Amino acid sequence: VQLVESGGGSVQAGGSLRLSCTASGFTLERDDVGWFRQAPGKECELVSSIESDGTTVYSDSAKGRFAISRDSNKKTVFLQMNSLKPEDTAVYYCASVGSRFRLVSRCSRGYKDSRFLERWGQGTQVTVS
């Protein structure tokens, strides 16, 4: 049971990337899923989240540039990132939690807590120059 992020990389300012968060051993259908990021020397911050009912949330920095969505296979959540800026450079993590509980900003690689059905991926580096 794990989450695996992919799609990170290096891109020039103004470019785009699409991050994927894929569940292995379970589905994300009933979970709230969030994308978080942490830059060196900075705190972990929520970029965007999507609840089990489809409600989406975006940070002020992500609004208008990023879009979160779920795949119909119920096992993948995407983060489409457009108009990337150097300040978007960070390690991006996806996390899932049971819909009865709340996503917590922790940016902890591989963290799991079965009490809350909380799972974190290993992270993927995004570098914008």
Side-chain angles (χ1 to χ4, degrees):
V1 174
Q2 61 179 346
L3 289 174
V4 179
E5 302 100 333
S6 61
S10 296
V11 65
Q12 290 188 335
S16 299
L17 287 172
R18 188 173 83 154
L19 305 183
S20 298
C21 172
T22 301
S24 176
F26 69 107
T27 68
L28 296 171
E29 183 180 14
R30 295 187 179 87
D31 290 358
D32 295 348
V33 180
W35 282 98
F36 295 80
R37 68 185 183 188
Q38 188 166 32
K42 295 190 176 181
E43 292 186 353
C44 179
E45 63 172 343
L46 175 68
V47 176
S48 181
S49 64
I50 184 165
E51 298 180 4
S52 57
D53 65 359
T55 301
T56 58
V57 172
Y58 295 94
S59 65
D60 287 343
S61 63
K63 286 178 184 175
R65 299 189 301 128
F66 295 0
I68 192 169
S69 61
R70 290 180 182 267
D71 193 278
S72 58
N73 68 6
K74 304 174 183 177
K75 302 191 76 170
T76 304
V77 170
F78 302 103
L79 184 68
Q80 177 67 43
M81 304 189 296
N82 300 323
S83 302
L84 283 162
K85 305 174 181 179
E87 50 264 43
D88 294 317
T89 295
V91 177
Y92 284 69
Y93 297 88
C94 73
S96 67
V97 69
S99 59
R100 295 173 296 163
F101 308 108
R102 187 172 60 90
L103 286 164
V104 175
S105 187
R106 61 174 91 248
C107 288
S108 181
R109 293 181 60 186
Y111 181 88
K112 295 179 184 178
D113 191 333
S114 60
R115 296 173 298 171
F116 310 114
L117 303 178
E118 183 180 3
R119 305 170 182 97
W120 284 76
Q122 298 296 313
T124 185
Q125 177 70 46
V126 171
T127 302
V128 185
S129 60

